[in-house]
Amino acid sequence: MKDRGPATSIAFCMFSLDHFGGAERRLLRAYGAIGQSRPVDLVIAERQKGDFFKAAEKAGVDLSSFRSMHFFPDRSWGKMLLYLFRQKYGTCVFCYLGRFNAIATHMLETFDRSATVLHVTNCRYVLNASSPLDIEINALFKSQLKRTSCIDVLYPNRKEWYASMAGAERVHCTPGTFTDLDVFRPAQKRKRIVLLAARLDEVKNPYGFVEAIKLAAATMREQGYEALLCGQGENYRPLASLITRLGIDDCLKMPGYVKPEDVLREASVACLLSREENYPSQALAEATACGCYIIATSVGNTSFLVEPSFGALVEPLPVAVASALCAYMARPEESKRAVVRQARAFAERHYRPAATAEYFRAINDEARLRHSTRGTKQG
């Protein structure tokens, strides 16, 4: 059998997407930082050759610190699993719950090939089982949770649930977030309001943003502000049609998926309007680092990331968002300049990558230790 190097080697496994969201950007940056001190390989399933590099370039993710990259067509699950099985990495890292990830976790752990680490964001996959197929798949997911060596949970308010499934000693919670403070920094600000999401799904509340802009449109026109709703997905066309019907296409544009730094550096306001959780949103961290005024829905642990000196927490209602937008536009110019300074200072205190990278290194070290002591006894 081949061996990819020292016991500390890591295989970071993921599925390539047309556009990387905040979770993908955050994890790739974290493991890229780890790659500066230990070998980290990317193992990627992609639909079309080269789509991973295109998505990484669009997302502004630097891949230079990864030791090597290995690509598999996304239907070649057997070949990808065989590759991981043969290489015997120190740890294999999986992003999210998934059928392939569950099977790979079982194989690698049971046959003592590698420890596994699972990064998860929410419980919907395992809580919302309805059809017989859903129930069967969710049983597989639950088994994955019980088998993997270490679990990293993104949201603090979900940790207890995962601990009940897998045991508290193996479940950890990501300590906040971080971003690239060299890439994301303020530029000359324009009168621009932004909602940025890789995928314009319902949970990001893009329709609420459109309705808020409709309510604030008169003030925006008077003050010379424009808004951008950035992202792609199945809701793109319906949202574009709604904007036209509401008569606000003069002040609300939909540029599609954009490089986050291209719009956030010049934006004055960034809206994070999730119905469930904005913590620890990569887009929120990027916007704060760029000196944006943050208008975020007061859900979950969002309050950890927004201070009154540079933002407002609001109810997830269009009227509340519109009121916060109008209040910002009415501020004196010096107050707006102070927002830029306060937001940037907060980012420099809280969003440096070193602490998060160290946490991920520790998770992988713990996974290897647990795997080596557990052996093949746990089913």
Side-chain angles (χ1 to χ4, degrees):
M1 293 290 183
K2 296 180 181 179
D3 191 325
R4 288 300 295 173
T8 57
S9 64
I10 297 171
F12 182 81
C13 309
M14 66 178 291
F15 301 101
S16 184
L17 305 167
D18 293 334
H19 310 293
F20 291 157
E24 291 84 19
R25 299 198 300 274
R26 179 181 62 90
L27 288 169
L28 283 168
R29 287 169 180 154
Y31 278 92
I34 295 172
Q36 296 176 11
S37 60
R38 67 173 62 174
V40 181
D41 293 351
L42 285 172
V43 181
I44 309 296
E46 59 177 2
R47 288 189 291 270
Q48 296 182 5
K49 188 175 181 179
D51 64 359
F52 177 79
F53 291 106
K54 293 176 184 176
E57 194 278 331
K58 288 179 184 177
V61 174
D62 181 7
L63 302 174
S64 62
S65 294
F66 292 99
R67 178 176 64 173
S68 61
M69 304 180 198
H70 306 272
F71 296 92
F72 299 85
D74 70 357
R75 299 296 178 187
S76 299
W77 309 128
K79 291 182 179 178
M80 189 169 171
L81 178 56
L82 184 61
Y83 169 81
L84 294 172
F85 199 80
R86 285 177 170 173
Q87 302 311 313
K88 201 170 184 181
Y89 285 96
T91 53
C92 290
V93 177
F94 297 103
C95 308
Y96 318 124
L97 295 160
R99 182 179 290 177
F100 171 80
N101 292 349
I103 294 171
T105 295
H106 274 275
M107 294 288 288
L108 294 167
E109 293 277 4
T110 300
F111 292 97
D112 196 24
R113 302 309 301 168
S114 300
T116 60
V117 172
L118 174 64
H119 296 293
V120 289
T121 56
N122 60 52
C123 312
R124 274 183 281 171
Y125 298 103
V126 285
L127 290 181
N128 296 340
S130 55
S131 70
L133 179 59
D134 287 337
I135 293 171
E136 179 183 346
I137 292 173
N138 288 359
L140 186 64
F141 293 166
K142 289 178 181 178
S143 181
Q144 179 186 2
L145 293 175
K146 294 177 181 178
R147 187 60 183 165
T148 192
S149 295
C150 273
I151 299 169
D152 164 56
V153 181
L154 185 62
Y155 303 139
N157 59 6
R158 308 284 169 81
K159 183 180 178 181
E160 183 177 350
W161 185 89
Y162 283 103
S164 72
M165 293 295 302
E169 70 281 356
R170 290 189 294 120
V171 179
H172 304 275
C173 190
T174 303
T177 190
F178 75 100
T179 194
D180 189 329
L181 295 176
D182 293 325
V183 171
F184 293 93
R185 56 190 315 109
Q188 183 65 40
K189 291 298 183 181
R190 300 173 61 177
K191 293 184 175 183
R192 177 176 288 172
I193 300 161
V194 173
L195 187 147
L196 188 150
R199 294 172 287 279
L200 294 170
D201 51 31
E202 295 285 348
V203 73
K204 299 295 178 62
N205 200 12
Y207 288 96
F209 181 70
V210 172
E211 295 290 345
I213 296 301
K214 169 63 176 175
L215 295 173
T219 303
M220 289 174 60
R221 294 184 181 111
E222 179 182 321
Q223 297 287 335
Y225 277 80
E226 65 173 357
L228 299 179
L229 177 54
C230 306
Q232 292 283 2
E234 62 183 18
N235 287 310
Y236 182 91
R237 289 186 181 278
L239 285 162
S241 297
L242 176 61
I243 290 168
T244 301
R245 290 199 307 274
L246 293 176
I248 55 174
D249 48 353
D250 62 317
C251 55
L252 175 54
K253 308 297 183 183
M254 292 188 67
Y257 186 87
V258 298
K259 291 182 72 171
E261 63 268 31
D262 287 349
V263 296
L264 292 176
R265 286 169 176 162
E266 297 181 342
S268 295
V269 180
C271 294
L272 290 301
L273 306 182
S274 173
R275 299 180 185 279
E276 296 183 1
E277 179 65 90
N278 296 302
Y279 174 96
S281 166
Q282 187 70 184
L284 197 159
E286 292 164 348
T288 305
C290 288
C292 297
Y293 184 76
I294 305 297
I295 297 176
T297 44
S298 183
V299 293
N301 295 283
T302 306
S303 61
F304 294 171
L305 305 181
V306 181
E307 292 186 346
S309 63
F310 63 87
L313 295 173
V314 300
E315 293 297 314
L317 301 171
V319 65
V321 177
S323 177
L325 284 171
C326 292
Y328 172 82
M329 288 185 282
R331 285 181 171 222
E333 290 304 311
E334 177 51 38
S335 175
K336 294 174 183 176
R337 288 191 289 271
V339 163
V340 177
R341 296 192 297 270
Q342 295 286 352
R344 178 65 188 185
F346 183 92
E348 290 182 350
R349 291 195 305 272
H350 297 285
Y351 296 152
R352 294 196 175 277
T356 303
E358 180 54 39
Y359 164 78
F360 282 122
R361 275 191 288 267
I363 284 282
N364 279 267
D365 291 342
E366 180 183 329
R368 288 197 315 277
L369 178 61
R370 289 189 178 281
H371 177 80
S372 65
T373 56
R374 182 172 59 184
T376 60
K377 293 182 180 180
Q378 180 174 330

